[in-house]
Each structure stands twice: as C-alpha cells, then as structure tokens.
Amino acid sequence: MSNSLQIRIVSPTGSVVALLSSVSESGAILDARIDWEKIGGLRSFSFSLDRKTDLTLYGDMECEFYVEGQKKFVGYSFTVPTVETNDPVLVIEGKGYYFKLMEKYLSPTFAATTIESAIASMSLTGTGVSYNAAKIDADVAITEMIFEDKTIVQILNSLLEVANADFNNTEYVWGVDEDKELYFRPLSNIPVASLYEGYQFQEPSVDIIDEVVNKVIARRASKTTPDAVELVGTYE
C-alpha cells in the first residue's frame, strides 16, 4: 500500500478499537501531525477524522502510527472530541510516553556504578514504558548521584549530562521508542524517526482549505535554500 498511513487504536484493556487508514473511505484519516524530538522521542500528535466516522474515543487510548506497514510511533490519546460536537471534522490529540515518565517520581542514589546499571535499577511501573537491556548502551561511570523526589525525565536528563560530558567523541540521547521501550544510547545508533519515509518531518506549515479532502501533500525545503521546495510525496 504505497505511501499509506495507518493508526491502530487500542483500549487500556488491550482491545483493538479501530484501524484507521489514509487510503480507506470508511474511518479515513484526513490529516495527521507528529512532533518528535531528539531527547525523549514522540512528544505529541494529532489526527483528524470525518465527523461521520463511527468510532467511540476517550482519553488514554494507545495510538500506534504505521507508515507503509511499519510501526513508527506510539502515544496515547489526551484530548478527544465530545459526542455533542457539531464540527464536521473530529480532531484527536495525544502525547508521547515521555509525559508518563514525567508523572512518576523517584528518589534513587547511584554510587560507584554505570549509567546502564543505574537505569536498570529504576522502576518504570505505572508509566506504560518497558525496560529492555538491549536498548540501553551507556557504559559510562557514575561516581555518585543522589536524587530526591525527581521525575524519571529529570533523572534521565541528569544522566544524559554525565554521558555527554565528553560530547566531542560521543553524543548520547534517550527516549521512548515505537515499542514503548526506553532507550539510552549513542545518537549514531538511533534510527531517524520520520512520519514520511526518508525525511524528518517537524513543524510543518499547514494550509486550511474549504473543501475537506482525504489527501496530504508533503513538501520540504532546507534552511540554506528555503525557496527551493521539493515534493516529498502525496499521501491519500
């Protein structure tokens, strides 16, 4: 399915609620936006559906984004339209699991250890994020670090400062990937996340038109030659 975008929506109990597609007439995705950052991964997303779409949505539903059959991002719904709305388009907004890590506080002490071991000892329970040792690649020594009532995000950012003390040789990043697994490793080992295959898609300009069409046209320009606009692809 060429240039297709699909969104799989899963309830908190694990039931698949819907499988939306940019190429289907029923439950079609009219447009979608992804905000992804180097530190933390997916931050926010939104997508629009036709008002006639027969779908029950509520907060905290897992939303998985697939591009041409490959899962690229995962987050959870945060703002959903009410059933009473008369808007012709339903806009669903969500967040990345980065924000779940901001909601959990810990008070760990790390002494004479490594960043890998420090992260392995942190509890991720209740965040929806999982630990996978294969995705933690930071054999960097820690002499001593003491935290008191800090969020997991704050702790990871502090560990990142230690890891990047020798930034000239290696830059480390951390985030939550499409499998809801925490990663902390050199930047060179992180696949570039992109909504459109082969391109980094961030802060797009949006034009509003009167007609609602089931089509997304993506173009790009570089900072050095902003007037030279290149067509990335058409997604419908």
Side-chain angles (χ1 to χ4, degrees):
M1 188 178 294
S2 178
N3 292 336
S4 65
L5 169 66
Q6 292 180 315
I7 302 176
R8 184 173 179 261
I9 301 178
V10 183
S11 73
T13 60
S15 301
V16 178
V17 174
L19 181 59
L20 308 172
S21 175
S22 61
V23 296
S24 67
E25 295 181 1
S26 176
I29 304 166
L30 301 179
D31 60 47
R33 178 190 175 101
I34 294 289
D35 292 321
W36 185 92
E37 295 192 17
K38 183 170 67 174
I39 306 301
L42 176 66
R43 293 298 179 89
S44 64
F45 65 84
S46 66
F47 59 92
S48 302
L49 305 173
D50 189 286
R51 179 68 181 87
K52 299 176 183 178
T53 303
D54 184 15
L55 179 63
T56 301
L57 294 171
Y58 47 90
D60 215 30
M61 300 181 83
E62 186 173 301
C63 299
E64 302 171 346
F65 289 77
Y66 293 78
V67 178
E68 297 184 355
Q70 293 188 338
K71 184 161 66 170
K72 295 290 187 179
F73 310 97
V74 62
Y76 60 95
S77 58
F78 184 74
T79 302
V80 296
T82 62
V83 293
E84 295 84 7
T85 183
N86 292 318
D87 294 337
V89 175
L90 302 178
V91 180
I92 294 87
E93 297 177 313
K95 296 181 178 182
Y97 280 87
Y98 167 93
F99 288 96
K100 292 291 187 181
L101 298 180
M102 287 186 66
E103 297 173 357
K104 180 158 186 173
Y105 290 77
L106 300 174
S107 299
T109 295
F110 307 133
T113 186
T114 64
I115 289 179
E116 290 179 355
S117 297
I119 293 175
S121 68
M122 293 167 54
S123 172
L124 302 177
T125 303
T127 65
V129 179
S130 301
Y131 169 80
N132 182 344
K135 296 181 180 180
I136 308 299
D137 180 13
D139 188 21
V140 179
I142 299 174
T143 302
E144 184 178 56
M145 299 180 74
I146 301 173
F147 298 93
E148 184 67 33
D149 290 329
K150 299 297 183 182
T151 68
I152 294 178
V153 167
Q154 290 174 312
I155 296 171
L156 289 171
N157 284 339
S158 294
L159 293 174
L160 192 64
E161 290 182 12
V162 174
N164 285 334
D166 190 15
F167 190 4
N168 290 331
N169 291 327
T170 305
E171 180 185 7
Y172 288 85
V173 294
W174 73 267
V176 181
D177 66 13
E178 69 277 7
D179 296 318
K180 295 193 298 181
E181 293 183 339
L182 179 67
Y183 61 81
F184 193 117
R185 53 194 182 192
L187 181 61
S188 59
N189 291 344
I190 304 297
V192 175
S194 178
L195 179 59
Y196 300 111
E197 190 68 31
Y199 300 91
Q200 184 63 34
F201 186 69
Q202 298 211 10
E203 298 183 0
S205 59
V206 179
D207 295 323
I208 306 299
I209 59 176
D210 294 333
E211 292 183 55
V212 177
V213 294
N214 186 27
K215 180 181 293 186
V216 178
I217 300 174
R219 297 183 176 88
R220 73 168 185 171
S222 68
K223 291 183 179 180
T224 54
T225 55
D227 295 329
V229 179
E230 174 187 0
L231 176 67
V232 174
T234 300
Y235 301 80
E236 58 181 337

